[in-house]
Amino acid sequence: MQKFKIILAGLRVLLALLVLSPMVAMVDATWTSGAAFAQSVIKNIEVVGNRRVEPETVRSYLQFNSGDTYNASKVDASIKALFATGLFADVAIDYKGSTVIVTVKENPVINQVAFEGNSEVDTATLIGEVQLKPRSVFTRAKAQADTQRILDVYRRQGLFAATVEPKIIELEQDRVNLVFEINEGAATKVKGINFVGNHAFTDSQLRDVISTTQVGWFDFLKGTSVYDPDRMNLDRELVRQYYLKNGYPDASVTAANAEIDPDGSGFIITFAIDEGQPYTFGAINIESSLPGIDTSTLKGDLLTQAGAVYDASEIDKTSEQLTLDIADQGYAFARVRPRPIPDATNHTIAITYVVDEGPRIYIERINVIGNTRTKDFVIRREFRLAEGDAFNSLMVDRAKKRLQALGLFKSVDIKRRPGSAPDRVILDVVVQEQSTGELSFGAGYSTSEGVIGDVSISERNLFGNGQYVRLKLAGSFERMQVDLSFTEPRFLDRNLAAGFDLFFKQLDYTDQSGFEQRKLGGDVRLGFPLAEHLWMQTMYSLSRDEIFDVTNWASPAIKEACGNFDPNGPTDQNGLFRCSDAGYWTSLVGTTISYDKRNNAKNPNRGYYIQLANDFAGLGGDAQYWRVNAEGRYYYPITDKITFVGRAVGGMIQGWGGQDVRLLDSFFKGGETVRGFDISGFGPREIGPNSPNQDALGGQKYWAATAEVRFPLPFVPEDIGLSGAVFADAGSLWDATGGARAAVAATHNSANFPKGPDTLIDSNVIRSSVGGSLMWNSPVGPLRMDFAQVLTKDKYDQTQFFRFGASSQF
C-alpha cells in the first residue's frame, strides 16, 4: 500500500511537469524574442572612410534610418544605391550591437586626362569626346564608356584596328591622372564598291554619285576612301535621290552592307537596289482652293513638263517656286502639295499641284547645332525662311536638301519642337561636319606632251565661310601652268557666285610653230542663274601675252608676230631670234551662258548641254577683237549600258577698229578636236623654203563634230573601270590672220628672201576620221587611248594614229 502511494505521487509530479513544461518554454521563448527585438533596432549609424563626402550625404542614400529594424534586404539596396552614385570604389555595411557601420572607399578625383599614341585624331577632338574631365570623379565604368567613345571616333576615321586602354597614375590626396593609351593601327579602307540590281546605270556611274571612293594609288591624300558608316548612310540616300531624279520613282536602296574582306585589309561595300520601272511625266495641272488665286498665272513656275523623264527634284523645285510666288501675292500660309497620279500601264505619272491654306504656325527660332567650324550664316542662308516667318514644311525640306548639296556636312537633320506658344515652332538644324580640304596630285604620260603631272590643294569651306579656293600646279615637257582660284558661292548673301582667278601659263610650240608662248594675268567673275538649269557668267580679264624663244628657222609669219620681220634679223647666243615687240596686254569682258540638262555632270548618259561664250577685247590694252565660241553635247542611252554621245563645237575671232587679230589669239587645233591629227595638225600653214618645219599659223574660224558610242567591254569585270568607244570626228580650221598673210606674201620679194617664196595653205576642207577608244578609270584618274584613221585631210596636215593621255570628259 505504501509503495502504491509513492508511485502515485511520482505520477502526479510527472504529470505536473508535463503540464508546466510548455508554459515554461513559452515564457522562455517570449523572453528571448523580446531581447532579440531589443537588440535588432538600429540606434546609431556611423560612416567611416569618407574624406570628401559628408556623412549626411552617405546617410541620404541609405534605405533605412535610426529607429528602424535592421533588415538585410534594405542593407543590400543601400549598398547598390551608394555604388550607383559613382562616388565610391567600395562600400561595406556591418551591424554591431545596435550600431550600423557604413564603411566607404571614395573614388579618386581626376587631376589630368591625357592621350598617348594618337596621331590621326588630334587631342582636342578626343577631349571633346570623352566625359571624364579634370576635377571629376573617376570610375571604372565611366572610363570604359569613354574608351568606347574613343574607339567610335577612330572607327569613323576608318581605323577599325585601333585599341584603347585606360590607365591611372595614383597621386597623393586621392587624386589620379587618367591616361588613354591608344594604338591606332592601320586605316581600314574601302577596297571595293559594288551595286546589285542596277540595270539603268552602270556601277561606274553610281560610284560617281556617292561620296565614298575606292582605295587607289593616291587615296592617302583624301579621306573619302576610308570606311565610314555615317558616310555610307549618306551614300545610300544619294543613290536613291539619283534614281528619283532620273525617271525611277519607285527606286529604293534595299540594303547597304559593308563587310571586311577575308584578309582583313579593307571593306567591300555592296548596295542592293530595287530600281522599279522608268516613268515619264503625264499631265501637269494646278488646283487651288484659295480665293483670288488665278492658277493660269502660275503656269510659268512649272518645271515639270508632260512627256519629260520623271524627276523628283523638279517636283520639289516647282513646289518651292509656287509657294514663293503665292506668298508674294499675300498668302503667307499657303501650302503647295504635289499629288502624283501614277499610270502603271503607260508608265506615266501625272502631277497635280494642290494649293490650299496650311496651319497658321510661325517660326519662333532657328537653332544651328553641331557646326564647330562652319559659321552659322553659311547654314542659315540656305533657308528661304527666317525667324518670325510663317512655317512651311516644304520650304524646310528644300533647305535641308540644299544643305546636303553643299558637300560640307556628313549628315543634316532638321528637328521641329514646340515653341513658347501653341502657334510657335522651333527648328533645330543638327549637322555633322566632314573634311572639306583636299590635296591631290597626278602623273602620267601623253603622246602630245610627254610626261605630265599636276598638284593641287583645295578647300571648299575656307575659314568656315563656305568659300572655295584652289591652287593648282601642272606641267609637262611642253607646258607649265599655275592657277589660283577663289569663289564666294553666295555673294552678298544672294544666289550669286563671285570670284577671281590668277594664272600663269607657258607653252612650248617649238615643234609645231617654232616659238614659245607665255601668258600671265587674272580675272574677276560673277555668275548667277537666269532660270532653272540656265546659268550666266560675266567676267573681266586682264592678261599679258608674250611670244619668245622664236627659232631662227621659224617661218616669216612667226617672226612677224614677235615684231621682227627681217629674216636675217639678230639672234641671241643660243641662236634664237630676237623679238622686238614680243608682248602685249589684253583687256576684255566676256559673257558665258550655259544650259545643262545632263543627268550627271561627271558621267552622263542622258540629256544635253549647251554653252555660248562671247568675249570683247579692247577696253584698254593693246588687243582689239571680238571672239565667240559655242558648244553643244547630247547624250542618249541606246541601252542600259550603251550610250550615244554627240558633240558640236565652233568658234570665230575677228579684229575691230582697224586692228588685225594677233597670232597668239588665233585658234590652233589638232587631235584634241579631231582625233587622228597631231598637235596643231590641221589649219593654216606656211609651206616653202623659208619655213622648213611647215609651221602652223592658226586660224580665225573653226568647227568640229563628234559622234561616239560608248559601251562596257565584254567579259571584263565592270569594277575594273575599263570601257570602250567607237567614234567618227570631223572638223576644220581656216582663215589665217592678216599679219600671217602679209608675212607669207612678203616672201615673194626675192631681195629679202633669196631662198624663194613661201605659200600659205589655208583651206576649209573637211578633216575627218573614224576609230576606237579604250578608256580606264584608273587610280591616278581617267585615262584614254584613241586609235584613229584619217579619212579626209588637206595635203600638208599632220596626222597621228595613236593618242594617249588623260581623258577629257565631253
Side-chain angles (χ1 to χ4, degrees), residues 95 149 336 342 399 449 486 591 594 600 618 636 638 657:
Y95 182 57
R149 292 187 181 95
V336 178
E449 298 186 52
F486 172 83
T591 301
S594 304
N600 186 331
Y636 179 77
I638 300 174

Side-chain angles (χ1 to χ4, degrees), residues 54-210:
E54 294 295 329
E56 284 305 318
T57 302
V58 176
R59 293 189 184 101
S60 67
Y61 289 100
L62 300 178
Q63 307 298 309
F64 53 84
N65 297 303
S66 297
D68 292 348
T69 303
Y70 182 84
N71 186 296
S73 62
K74 290 185 177 182
V75 169
D76 184 61
S78 299
I79 292 174
K80 292 179 179 178
L82 287 169
F83 271 120
T85 64
L87 298 172
F88 308 106
D90 193 16
V91 177
I93 298 179
D94 297 316
Y95 182 57
K96 294 181 179 181
S98 59
T99 300
V100 173
I101 301 174
V102 182
T103 305
V104 296
K105 181 181 179 182
E106 295 179 351
N107 277 318
V109 173
I110 296 176
N111 176 63
Q112 181 182 6
V113 179
F115 304 89
E116 294 182 356
N118 59 306
S119 59
E120 293 295 328
V121 180
D122 59 77
T123 300
T125 300
L126 296 177
I127 289 175
E129 195 70 26
V130 298
Q131 300 298 312
L132 288 174
K133 308 290 184 183
R135 294 185 297 279
S136 65
V137 176
F138 170 84
T139 68
R140 294 191 180 277
K142 289 181 179 179
Q144 291 300 324
D146 281 345
T147 298
Q148 187 59 47
R149 292 187 181 95
I150 295 172
L151 288 173
D152 290 341
V153 172
Y154 275 94
R155 284 177 179 144
R156 289 196 295 269
Q157 299 289 333
L159 297 167
F160 283 79
T163 59
V164 179
E165 183 178 356
K167 292 188 176 182
I168 59 173
I169 302 173
E170 295 184 357
L171 306 174
E172 58 184 9
Q173 299 178 349
D174 274 349
R175 295 177 303 121
V176 295
N177 286 340
L178 175 59
V179 179
F180 292 98
E181 294 185 352
I182 302 170
N183 180 8
E184 294 181 329
T188 310
K189 299 195 174 183
V190 178
K191 293 186 65 176
I193 302 175
N194 302 320
F195 299 87
V196 178
N198 56 311
H199 304 289
F201 306 105
T202 65
D203 285 13
S204 177
Q205 287 175 302
L206 295 179
R207 289 191 194 102
D208 287 337
V209 172
I210 63 178

Side-chain angles (χ1 to χ4, degrees), residues 94 112 220 462 471 563:
D94 297 316
Q112 181 182 6
F220 62 89
L462 184 65
L471 175 64

